[in-house]
Amino acid sequence: MISERVIQTSELTKHYGDFHAVNQLNCSVRGERITGFLGRNGAGKSSTIKMLLGMIKPTSGLGTVLGHRIDDPKESIAIRRKIAYVGEDKGLYGYMTVAQLIWFTKSFYPDWRPEVEKKLLAEYRLPSDRKVKALSKGMRTKLALLLALSRRPELLILDEPTEGLDPVSIEELLQTLVIAPANGTTVFFSSHQLSEVERIADDILMIDRGVAVLDMPLDQIRENYRRVTLGFNIPAPQLPTLDGMEKVRVNGRQVTILASRNSEAIAQLGRERNAVAIDVTPISLREIFLDSVQDQNKHDQRVHWEQQNALV
């Protein structure tokens, strides 16, 4: 299972009229690992998850989950039998008690694990006799996780699982997710909380405007990504593009480069151009994310300004 690709997409696309929510997305998610799915609001995360779950059909392109095609209705049913999904709204029956909902859910799954149910029921301190609608948001999240993990899913998909949780509940949820791969469950979760993603993720899939901008193991990101800053005594010269230069910003006598690899070669380029100051520093996932988003926001603002002025 470890070498298996549990999610694969090839030019997966979803259009809503003229709006391209997901645009030729190519990605590959490895089994028995935790993948953090990142992107700003409107980047295409929710549409991607809905296509993977068979809730909406792709406009074009291909996708498979656990070897089943997501655009085939019969295979989509097979997918939902093997995976568990915890969405932001949780989708729980509010009129049932906790015990009733657990009893109702496990009747559908012959491989239900009562030992996991019992363990999580105690760990999460869920009140068995309380109605679901009376539970706090954090308690509903814990209950949804209990129902998901007790099913022995091959893949667990979560959409903003820590949204609205207190720090203690977040810590408990993260600890639950960390041990899931050891029990054979692949975790794929979207989140805006980058510090939480960095704590538990093995791999990172980052999208913007429906396109993958980063798909890489987190340890490889930490090893290779650097920010290279070059200072000059004169206005900064134009630099040739080297492999690994992702973003280049020039501000007077200073050049700042986001490098995904080859940081030493980029620093050497600065020496060859007579840079008087060269600084190579590691870069956090948050900084990589903000660089991608901010650049795109500036592009969007410029396009909007040009369109508005073209009408004047």
Side-chain angles (χ1 to χ4, degrees), residues 54-105:
M55 296 168 64
I56 59 175
K57 290 185 177 182
T59 303
S60 62
L62 301 173
T64 60
V65 174
L66 298 169
H68 300 285
R69 288 177 59 109
I70 63 175
D71 58 345
D72 184 292
K74 290 183 179 179
E75 294 198 45
S76 182
I77 293 172
I79 291 171
R80 289 196 289 272
R81 289 190 179 124
K82 296 179 180 180
I83 72 172
Y85 169 62
V86 178
E88 197 172 352
D89 61 0
K90 308 306 178 287
L92 305 174
Y93 295 114
Y95 63 87
M96 291 185 178
T97 65
V98 169
Q100 287 171 339
L101 185 55
I102 292 173
W103 175 84
F104 174 77
T105 303

CSV table of all heavy atoms in Angstrom, one decimal, residues 54-105:
chain,number,residue,atom,x,y,z
A,54,GLY,N,-17.1,12.0,-5.9
A,54,GLY,CA,-18.2,11.7,-6.9
A,54,GLY,C,-19.5,12.6,-6.6
A,54,GLY,O,-20.5,12.3,-7.2
A,55,MET,N,-19.3,13.7,-5.9
A,55,MET,CA,-20.4,14.5,-5.6
A,55,MET,C,-20.7,15.4,-6.8
A,55,MET,O,-21.9,15.9,-7.0
A,55,MET,CB,-20.2,15.4,-4.4
A,55,MET,CG,-20.0,14.6,-3.1
A,55,MET,SD,-19.3,15.5,-1.7
A,55,MET,CE,-20.6,16.7,-1.5
A,56,ILE,N,-19.7,15.8,-7.6
A,56,ILE,CA,-19.9,16.5,-8.9
A,56,ILE,C,-19.0,15.8,-9.9
A,56,ILE,O,-18.0,15.2,-9.6
A,56,ILE,CB,-19.5,18.0,-8.7
A,56,ILE,CG1,-18.0,18.1,-8.3
A,56,ILE,CG2,-20.4,18.7,-7.8
A,56,ILE,CD1,-17.5,19.6,-8.2
A,57,LYS,N,-19.4,16.0,-11.2
A,57,LYS,CA,-18.7,15.4,-12.3
A,57,LYS,C,-17.6,16.4,-12.9
A,57,LYS,O,-17.9,17.6,-13.0
A,57,LYS,CB,-19.6,15.0,-13.4
A,57,LYS,CG,-20.5,13.8,-13.1
A,57,LYS,CD,-21.4,13.4,-14.3
A,57,LYS,CE,-22.2,12.2,-13.9
A,57,LYS,NZ,-23.0,11.7,-15.1
A,58,PRO,N,-16.5,15.8,-13.2
A,58,PRO,CA,-15.5,16.7,-13.9
A,58,PRO,C,-16.0,17.2,-15.2
A,58,PRO,O,-16.8,16.5,-15.9
A,58,PRO,CB,-14.3,15.8,-14.1
A,58,PRO,CG,-14.5,14.6,-13.2
A,58,PRO,CD,-16.0,14.5,-13.1
A,59,THR,N,-15.5,18.4,-15.6
A,59,THR,CA,-15.8,18.9,-17.0
A,59,THR,C,-15.0,18.1,-18.0
A,59,THR,O,-15.4,17.8,-19.1
A,59,THR,CB,-15.5,20.4,-17.1
A,59,THR,OG1,-16.3,21.1,-16.1
A,59,THR,CG2,-15.8,20.9,-18.4
A,60,SER,N,-13.7,17.8,-17.6
A,60,SER,CA,-12.8,17.1,-18.4
A,60,SER,C,-11.7,16.5,-17.6
A,60,SER,O,-11.6,16.9,-16.4
A,60,SER,CB,-12.3,17.9,-19.6
A,60,SER,OG,-11.5,19.0,-19.1
A,61,GLY,N,-10.8,15.7,-18.2
A,61,GLY,CA,-9.7,15.1,-17.4
A,61,GLY,C,-10.1,13.8,-16.7
A,61,GLY,O,-11.2,13.4,-16.8
A,62,LEU,N,-9.1,13.3,-16.1
A,62,LEU,CA,-9.3,12.0,-15.5
A,62,LEU,C,-8.9,12.0,-14.0
A,62,LEU,O,-8.1,12.8,-13.6
A,62,LEU,CB,-8.4,10.9,-16.2
A,62,LEU,CG,-8.7,10.7,-17.6
A,62,LEU,CD1,-7.6,9.7,-18.2
A,62,LEU,CD2,-10.1,10.1,-17.9
A,63,GLY,N,-9.5,11.1,-13.2
A,63,GLY,CA,-9.1,11.0,-11.8
A,63,GLY,C,-9.5,9.6,-11.3
A,63,GLY,O,-10.5,9.0,-11.7
A,64,THR,N,-8.6,9.1,-10.4
A,64,THR,CA,-9.0,7.8,-9.8
A,64,THR,C,-8.7,7.9,-8.3
A,64,THR,O,-7.8,8.7,-7.8
A,64,THR,CB,-8.1,6.7,-10.3
A,64,THR,OG1,-6.7,7.0,-10.1
A,64,THR,CG2,-8.3,6.4,-11.8
A,65,VAL,N,-9.5,7.2,-7.5
A,65,VAL,CA,-9.4,7.1,-6.1
A,65,VAL,C,-9.4,5.6,-5.7
A,65,VAL,O,-10.3,4.9,-6.1
A,65,VAL,CB,-10.5,7.8,-5.3
A,65,VAL,CG1,-10.4,7.6,-3.8
A,65,VAL,CG2,-10.5,9.3,-5.6
A,66,LEU,N,-8.3,5.2,-5.2
A,66,LEU,CA,-8.1,3.7,-4.8
A,66,LEU,C,-8.3,2.8,-6.1
A,66,LEU,O,-8.9,1.8,-6.0
A,66,LEU,CB,-9.1,3.3,-3.7
A,66,LEU,CG,-8.9,4.1,-2.4
A,66,LEU,CD1,-10.0,3.8,-1.4
A,66,LEU,CD2,-7.5,3.7,-1.7
A,67,GLY,N,-7.9,3.4,-7.2
A,67,GLY,CA,-8.0,2.6,-8.5
A,67,GLY,C,-9.3,2.7,-9.2
A,67,GLY,O,-9.5,2.2,-10.3
A,68,HIS,N,-10.3,3.4,-8.6
A,68,HIS,CA,-11.6,3.5,-9.2
A,68,HIS,C,-11.8,4.9,-9.9
A,68,HIS,O,-11.4,5.9,-9.3
A,68,HIS,CB,-12.7,3.4,-8.2
A,68,HIS,CG,-12.7,2.1,-7.5
A,68,HIS,ND1,-13.1,0.9,-8.1
A,68,HIS,CD2,-12.3,1.7,-6.2
A,68,HIS,CE1,-13.0,-0.1,-7.2
A,68,HIS,NE2,-12.5,0.3,-6.1
A,69,ARG,N,-12.3,4.9,-11.1
A,69,ARG,CA,-12.5,6.2,-11.8
A,69,ARG,C,-13.6,7.0,-11.1
A,69,ARG,O,-14.7,6.5,-10.8
A,69,ARG,CB,-13.0,5.9,-13.2
A,69,ARG,CG,-11.8,5.4,-14.1
A,69,ARG,CD,-12.4,5.1,-15.5
A,69,ARG,NE,-12.9,6.3,-16.1
A,69,ARG,CZ,-12.4,6.9,-17.1
A,69,ARG,NH1,-11.2,6.5,-17.6
A,69,ARG,NH2,-12.9,8.0,-17.7
A,70,ILE,N,-13.3,8.3,-10.9
A,70,ILE,CA,-14.3,9.2,-10.2
A,70,ILE,C,-15.4,9.6,-11.1
A,70,ILE,O,-16.4,10.1,-10.6
A,70,ILE,CB,-13.6,10.4,-9.7
A,70,ILE,CG1,-13.0,11.3,-10.8
A,70,ILE,CG2,-12.5,10.0,-8.7
A,70,ILE,CD1,-12.3,12.6,-10.3
A,71,ASP,N,-15.3,9.5,-12.4
A,71,ASP,CA,-16.4,9.9,-13.3
A,71,ASP,C,-17.3,8.8,-13.7
A,71,ASP,O,-18.2,9.0,-14.5
A,71,ASP,CB,-15.8,10.5,-14.6
A,71,ASP,CG,-14.8,9.6,-15.4
A,71,ASP,OD1,-14.5,8.5,-14.8
A,71,ASP,OD2,-14.5,9.8,-16.5
A,72,ASP,N,-17.1,7.6,-13.1
A,72,ASP,CA,-18.0,6.5,-13.4
A,72,ASP,C,-18.9,6.3,-12.2
A,72,ASP,O,-18.4,6.0,-11.1
A,72,ASP,CB,-17.2,5.2,-13.6
A,72,ASP,CG,-18.1,4.0,-14.0
A,72,ASP,OD1,-18.8,3.6,-13.1
A,72,ASP,OD2,-18.0,3.6,-15.2
A,73,PRO,N,-20.3,6.4,-12.3
A,73,PRO,CA,-21.2,6.3,-11.2
A,73,PRO,C,-21.0,5.0,-10.4
A,73,PRO,O,-21.1,5.1,-9.1
A,73,PRO,CB,-22.6,6.4,-11.8
A,73,PRO,CG,-22.3,7.1,-13.1
A,73,PRO,CD,-21.0,6.7,-13.6
A,74,LYS,N,-20.9,3.9,-11.0
A,74,LYS,CA,-20.7,2.6,-10.3
A,74,LYS,C,-19.4,2.6,-9.5
A,74,LYS,O,-19.4,2.1,-8.4
A,74,LYS,CB,-20.8,1.5,-11.3
A,74,LYS,CG,-22.2,1.2,-11.9
A,74,LYS,CD,-22.2,0.0,-12.8
A,74,LYS,CE,-23.6,-0.2,-13.4
A,74,LYS,NZ,-23.7,-1.4,-14.3
A,75,GLU,N,-18.3,3.0,-10.2
A,75,GLU,CA,-17.1,3.0,-9.5
A,75,GLU,C,-17.0,4.1,-8.4
A,75,GLU,O,-16.3,3.9,-7.3
A,75,GLU,CB,-15.9,3.3,-10.5
A,75,GLU,CG,-15.8,2.2,-11.5
A,75,GLU,CD,-14.4,2.2,-12.1
A,75,GLU,OE1,-13.4,2.4,-11.5
A,75,GLU,OE2,-14.4,2.0,-13.4
A,76,SER,N,-17.8,5.2,-8.5
A,76,SER,CA,-17.9,6.2,-7.5
A,76,SER,C,-18.5,5.6,-6.2
A,76,SER,O,-18.1,5.9,-5.1
A,76,SER,CB,-18.7,7.4,-8.0
A,76,SER,OG,-18.8,8.4,-7.0
A,77,ILE,N,-19.5,4.7,-6.4
A,77,ILE,CA,-20.1,4.0,-5.2
A,77,ILE,C,-19.0,3.2,-4.5
A,77,ILE,O,-19.0,3.1,-3.3
A,77,ILE,CB,-21.3,3.2,-5.7
A,77,ILE,CG1,-22.4,4.1,-6.2
A,77,ILE,CG2,-21.8,2.3,-4.5
A,77,ILE,CD1,-23.6,3.3,-6.8
A,78,ALA,N,-18.2,2.5,-5.3
A,78,ALA,CA,-17.1,1.6,-4.7
A,78,ALA,C,-16.2,2.5,-4.0
A,78,ALA,O,-15.6,2.1,-2.9
A,78,ALA,CB,-16.4,0.9,-5.8
A,79,ILE,N,-15.9,3.7,-4.5
A,79,ILE,CA,-15.0,4.6,-3.8
A,79,ILE,C,-15.6,5.0,-2.4
A,79,ILE,O,-14.9,4.9,-1.4
A,79,ILE,CB,-14.8,5.9,-4.6
A,79,ILE,CG1,-14.0,5.6,-5.8
A,79,ILE,CG2,-14.1,7.0,-3.7
A,79,ILE,CD1,-13.9,6.8,-6.8
A,80,ARG,N,-16.8,5.3,-2.3
A,80,ARG,CA,-17.4,5.7,-1.1
A,80,ARG,C,-17.5,4.6,-0.1
A,80,ARG,O,-17.6,4.9,1.1
A,80,ARG,CB,-18.8,6.4,-1.3
A,80,ARG,CG,-18.7,7.7,-2.0
A,80,ARG,CD,-20.0,8.5,-2.0
A,80,ARG,NE,-21.1,7.9,-2.8
A,80,ARG,CZ,-21.3,8.2,-4.1
A,80,ARG,NH1,-20.4,9.1,-4.7
A,80,ARG,NH2,-22.2,7.7,-4.8
A,81,ARG,N,-17.5,3.4,-0.5
A,81,ARG,CA,-17.5,2.3,0.4
A,81,ARG,C,-16.1,2.1,1.1
A,81,ARG,O,-16.0,1.6,2.2
A,81,ARG,CB,-17.8,1.0,-0.3
A,81,ARG,CG,-19.3,0.8,-0.8
A,81,ARG,CD,-19.5,-0.6,-1.3
A,81,ARG,NE,-20.9,-0.7,-1.7
A,81,ARG,CZ,-21.3,-1.1,-2.9
A,81,ARG,NH1,-20.4,-1.5,-3.8
A,81,ARG,NH2,-22.6,-1.3,-3.2
A,82,LYS,N,-15.1,2.6,0.5
A,82,LYS,CA,-13.7,2.4,1.0
A,82,LYS,C,-13.2,3.6,1.7
A,82,LYS,O,-12.1,3.5,2.3
A,82,LYS,CB,-12.8,2.0,-0.2
A,82,LYS,CG,-13.1,0.7,-0.9
A,82,LYS,CD,-12.1,0.5,-2.0
A,82,LYS,CE,-12.4,-0.8,-2.7
A,82,LYS,NZ,-11.5,-1.1,-3.8
A,83,ILE,N,-13.8,4.8,1.6
A,83,ILE,CA,-13.3,6.0,2.2
A,83,ILE,C,-14.2,6.6,3.2
A,83,ILE,O,-15.4,6.2,3.3
A,83,ILE,CB,-13.0,7.0,1.1
A,83,ILE,CG1,-14.3,7.6,0.5
A,83,ILE,CG2,-12.1,6.5,0.0
A,83,ILE,CD1,-14.1,8.8,-0.4
A,84,ALA,N,-13.7,7.5,4.0
A,84,ALA,CA,-14.6,8.2,4.9
A,84,ALA,C,-14.3,9.7,4.7
A,84,ALA,O,-13.2,10.1,4.4
A,84,ALA,CB,-14.2,7.8,6.4
A,85,TYR,N,-15.3,10.5,4.8
A,85,TYR,CA,-15.2,11.9,4.6
A,85,TYR,C,-15.8,12.7,5.8
A,85,TYR,O,-16.9,12.4,6.2
A,85,TYR,CB,-16.0,12.3,3.3
A,85,TYR,CG,-16.2,13.8,3.1
A,85,TYR,CD1,-15.1,14.6,2.9
A,85,TYR,CD2,-17.5,14.3,3.0
A,85,TYR,CE1,-15.2,16.0,2.7
A,85,TYR,CE2,-17.6,15.7,2.8
A,85,TYR,CZ,-16.5,16.5,2.6
A,85,TYR,OH,-16.7,17.8,2.4
A,86,VAL,N,-15.0,13.6,6.2
A,86,VAL,CA,-15.5,14.5,7.3
A,86,VAL,C,-15.4,16.0,6.8
A,86,VAL,O,-14.3,16.5,6.6
A,86,VAL,CB,-14.6,14.4,8.6
A,86,VAL,CG1,-15.1,15.4,9.6
A,86,VAL,CG2,-14.6,13.0,9.1
A,87,GLY,N,-16.6,16.5,6.5
A,87,GLY,CA,-16.7,17.9,5.9
A,87,GLY,C,-16.8,18.9,7.0
A,87,GLY,O,-17.0,18.5,8.2
A,88,GLU,N,-16.8,20.1,6.6
A,88,GLU,CA,-16.9,21.2,7.6
A,88,GLU,C,-18.3,21.2,8.3
A,88,GLU,O,-18.4,21.5,9.5
A,88,GLU,CB,-16.7,22.6,6.9
A,88,GLU,CG,-16.4,23.7,7.9
A,88,GLU,CD,-15.9,25.0,7.2
A,88,GLU,OE1,-15.8,24.9,5.9
A,88,GLU,OE2,-15.8,26.0,7.8
A,89,ASP,N,-19.3,20.8,7.6
A,89,ASP,CA,-20.7,20.8,8.2
A,89,ASP,C,-21.0,19.5,8.9
A,89,ASP,O,-22.0,19.4,9.6
A,89,ASP,CB,-21.7,21.1,7.1
A,89,ASP,CG,-21.7,20.0,6.0
A,89,ASP,OD1,-20.9,19.1,6.1
A,89,ASP,OD2,-22.6,20.1,5.1
A,90,LYS,N,-20.1,18.5,8.8
A,90,LYS,CA,-20.1,17.2,9.5
A,90,LYS,C,-21.3,16.3,9.0
A,90,LYS,O,-21.1,15.1,9.0
A,90,LYS,CB,-20.2,17.3,11.0
A,90,LYS,CG,-19.2,18.2,11.6
A,90,LYS,CD,-17.8,17.8,11.2
A,90,LYS,CE,-16.7,18.7,11.8
A,90,LYS,NZ,-16.6,20.0,11.2
A,91,GLY,N,-22.5,16.9,8.6
A,91,GLY,CA,-23.5,16.0,8.1
A,91,GLY,C,-24.1,15.0,9.0
A,91,GLY,O,-24.4,13.9,8.5
A,92,LEU,N,-24.2,15.3,10.3
A,92,LEU,CA,-24.7,14.3,11.2
A,92,LEU,C,-26.2,14.5,11.5
A,92,LEU,O,-26.7,15.6,11.4
A,92,LEU,CB,-23.9,14.4,12.6
A,92,LEU,CG,-22.4,14.3,12.4
A,92,LEU,CD1,-21.7,14.6,13.8
A,92,LEU,CD2,-22.0,12.9,11.9
A,93,TYR,N,-26.8,13.4,11.9
A,93,TYR,CA,-28.3,13.5,12.2
A,93,TYR,C,-28.4,14.0,13.6
A,93,TYR,O,-28.2,13.4,14.7
A,93,TYR,CB,-28.9,12.1,12.2
A,93,TYR,CG,-28.9,11.5,10.8
A,93,TYR,CD1,-28.1,10.3,10.5
A,93,TYR,CD2,-29.6,12.0,9.7
A,93,TYR,CE1,-28.1,9.8,9.2
A,93,TYR,CE2,-29.6,11.5,8.5
A,93,TYR,CZ,-28.8,10.4,8.2
A,93,TYR,OH,-28.8,9.8,6.9
A,94,GLY,N,-28.9,15.3,13.7
A,94,GLY,CA,-29.0,16.0,14.9
A,94,GLY,C,-30.0,15.5,15.9
A,94,GLY,O,-29.9,15.7,17.1
A,95,TYR,N,-31.1,14.8,15.4
A,95,TYR,CA,-32.1,14.3,16.3
A,95,TYR,C,-31.7,13.0,17.1
A,95,TYR,O,-32.4,12.6,18.0
A,95,TYR,CB,-33.4,14.1,15.5
A,95,TYR,CG,-33.3,13.0,14.5
A,95,TYR,CD1,-33.5,11.7,14.8
A,95,TYR,CD2,-32.9,13.3,13.2
A,95,TYR,CE1,-33.4,10.7,13.8
A,95,TYR,CE2,-32.8,12.4,12.2
A,95,TYR,CZ,-33.1,11.0,12.5
A,95,TYR,OH,-33.0,10.1,11.6
A,96,MET,N,-30.6,12.4,16.7
A,96,MET,CA,-30.2,11.1,17.3
A,96,MET,C,-29.3,11.5,18.5
A,96,MET,O,-28.6,12.6,18.5
A,96,MET,CB,-29.4,10.2,16.4
A,96,MET,CG,-30.3,9.6,15.3
A,96,MET,SD,-29.2,8.4,14.3
A,96,MET,CE,-30.5,7.8,13.2
A,97,THR,N,-29.2,10.6,19.5
A,97,THR,CA,-28.2,10.7,20.5
A,97,THR,C,-26.8,10.2,19.9
A,97,THR,O,-26.8,9.5,18.8
A,97,THR,CB,-28.5,9.9,21.7
A,97,THR,OG1,-28.5,8.5,21.4
A,97,THR,CG2,-29.9,10.3,22.3
A,98,VAL,N,-25.8,10.4,20.6
A,98,VAL,CA,-24.5,9.9,20.2
A,98,VAL,C,-24.5,8.4,20.1
A,98,VAL,O,-24.0,7.8,19.0
A,98,VAL,CB,-23.4,10.4,21.2
A,98,VAL,CG1,-22.1,9.6,20.9
A,98,VAL,CG2,-23.2,11.9,21.1
A,99,ALA,N,-25.0,7.7,21.0
A,99,ALA,CA,-25.1,6.3,21.0
A,99,ALA,C,-26.0,5.7,19.9
A,99,ALA,O,-25.6,4.8,19.2
A,99,ALA,CB,-25.6,5.7,22.4
A,100,GLN,N,-27.1,6.4,19.6
A,100,GLN,CA,-28.0,6.0,18.5
A,100,GLN,C,-27.3,6.2,17.2
A,100,GLN,O,-27.4,5.3,16.3
A,100,GLN,CB,-29.3,6.8,18.6
A,100,GLN,CG,-30.2,6.4,19.7
A,100,GLN,CD,-31.3,7.4,19.9
A,100,GLN,OE1,-31.3,8.5,19.4
A,100,GLN,NE2,-32.4,6.9,20.5
A,101,LEU,N,-26.6,7.3,17.0
A,101,LEU,CA,-25.9,7.5,15.7
A,101,LEU,C,-24.8,6.5,15.5
A,101,LEU,O,-24.6,6.0,14.4
A,101,LEU,CB,-25.3,8.9,15.7
A,101,LEU,CG,-24.7,9.4,14.3
A,101,LEU,CD1,-25.7,9.2,13.2
A,101,LEU,CD2,-24.2,10.8,14.4
A,102,ILE,N,-24.0,6.2,16.5
A,102,ILE,CA,-23.0,5.1,16.4
A,102,ILE,C,-23.6,3.8,16.0
A,102,ILE,O,-23.1,3.1,15.1
A,102,ILE,CB,-22.2,5.0,17.7
A,102,ILE,CG1,-21.4,6.3,17.9
A,102,ILE,CG2,-21.2,3.8,17.7
A,102,ILE,CD1,-20.6,6.4,19.3
A,103,TRP,N,-24.7,3.4,16.7
A,103,TRP,CA,-25.3,2.1,16.5
A,103,TRP,C,-25.9,2.1,15.0
A,103,TRP,O,-25.7,1.1,14.3
A,103,TRP,CB,-26.5,1.9,17.4
A,103,TRP,CG,-27.3,0.7,17.1
A,103,TRP,CD1,-27.1,-0.6,17.5
A,103,TRP,CD2,-28.5,0.7,16.4
A,103,TRP,NE1,-28.0,-1.4,17.1
A,103,TRP,CE2,-28.9,-0.7,16.3
A,103,TRP,CE3,-29.3,1.6,15.7
A,103,TRP,CZ2,-30.1,-1.1,15.7
A,103,TRP,CZ3,-30.4,1.2,15.0
A,103,TRP,CH2,-30.8,-0.1,15.0
A,104,PHE,N,-26.5,3.2,14.6
A,104,PHE,CA,-27.0,3.3,13.2
A,104,PHE,C,-25.9,3.2,12.2
A,104,PHE,O,-26.1,2.5,11.2
A,104,PHE,CB,-27.8,4.6,13.1
A,104,PHE,CG,-28.3,4.9,11.7
A,104,PHE,CD1,-29.4,4.3,11.2
A,104,PHE,CD2,-27.6,5.8,10.9
A,104,PHE,CE1,-29.9,4.5,9.9
A,104,PHE,CE2,-28.1,6.1,9.6
A,104,PHE,CZ,-29.2,5.4,9.1
A,105,THR,N,-24.8,3.9,12.4
A,105,THR,CA,-23.8,3.9,11.4
A,105,THR,C,-23.1,2.6,11.3
A,105,THR,O,-22.8,2.1,10.2
A,105,THR,CB,-22.7,5.0,11.8
A,105,THR,OG1,-23.4,6.3,11.9
A,105,THR,CG2,-21.6,5.1,10.7
